[in-house]
Amino acid sequence: MKQTYTLKELPEIASKIIESVSSKVILFNGEMGAGKTTLIKEVVKQLGVNDVANSPTFSLVNEYKGSNDMTIFHFDFYRIEDEEEAYDIGVEDYFYNENAWCLIEWGNKVENLLPLDVVNINIEVIDSNQRTIEIEN
């Protein structure tokens, strides 16, 4: 799926992501400021989380409880120096948990630790109001 959207259309895009992905381990790829965190916040909301989702830039991972006690992990690996840091927090326990969603920013920094069935979501900036999203299952 490839689609251009505006901020107003985020709920629709998040819904399409949830419905169409083949894995619950999802990489959100895009340049700084592309809207990765904003999109993840909407996905988390649609998965039934009542809390406000924030970027885990310093903690590396935030955990949320969604509807039906579903667990959602939001990772931001922007600040890690090497994969060993991610390995030390036990990412394999998160990534291979079949009952949890793993929403990952800057996943290229941990690419050797990712499951083979990871879904890539690529976000491209068109202008200040529009983005293009492409989902690669």
Side-chain angles (χ1 to χ4, degrees):
M1 175 188 109
K2 187 171 186 174
Q3 182 175 342
T4 299
Y5 66 95
T6 63
L7 193 59
K8 193 186 303 185
E9 297 168 302
L10 268 179
E12 175 188 331
I13 294 298
S15 178
K16 285 183 179 182
I17 289 170
I18 293 167
E19 293 171 6
S20 66
V21 293
S22 59
S23 170
K24 291 182 181 178
V25 180
I26 306 170
L27 300 182
F28 290 79
N29 305 303
E31 64 187 57
M32 182 75 74
K36 297 179 295 292
T37 300
T38 303
L39 181 54
I40 288 173
K41 286 180 178 185
E42 184 61 34
V43 170
V44 166
K45 180 179 173 184
Q46 290 200 18
L47 289 172
V49 174
N50 292 322
D51 297 330
V52 176
N54 293 305
S55 179
T57 303
F58 295 100
S59 62
L60 296 182
V61 62
N62 287 342
E63 179 178 343
Y64 303 103
K65 286 294 181 192
S67 55
N68 301 323
D69 283 332
M70 178 188 327
T71 304
I72 301 109
F73 298 110
H74 177 189
F75 295 88
D76 185 335
F77 292 117
Y78 180 74
R79 296 199 182 281
I80 68 166
E81 297 294 323
D82 57 44
E83 288 181 342
E84 190 69 29
E85 285 182 64
Y87 188 77
D88 287 345
I89 69 163
V91 292
E92 67 280 357
D93 293 332
Y94 296 103
F95 293 168
Y96 294 94
N97 180 342
E98 294 178 9
N99 298 316
W101 288 78
C102 292
L103 311 175
I104 305 165
E105 297 182 61
W106 302 102
N108 59 312
K109 293 193 166 206
V110 296
E111 63 187 348
N112 293 317
L113 305 176
L114 296 168
L116 295 175
D117 65 344
V118 68
V119 171
N120 278 285
I121 295 183
N122 302 308
I123 303 170
E124 181 183 341
V125 177
I126 303 301
D127 59 36
S128 61
N129 296 315
Q130 290 186 317
R131 306 291 189 261
T132 296
I133 186 173
E134 182 173 14
I135 299 173
E136 297 175 357
N137 278 308

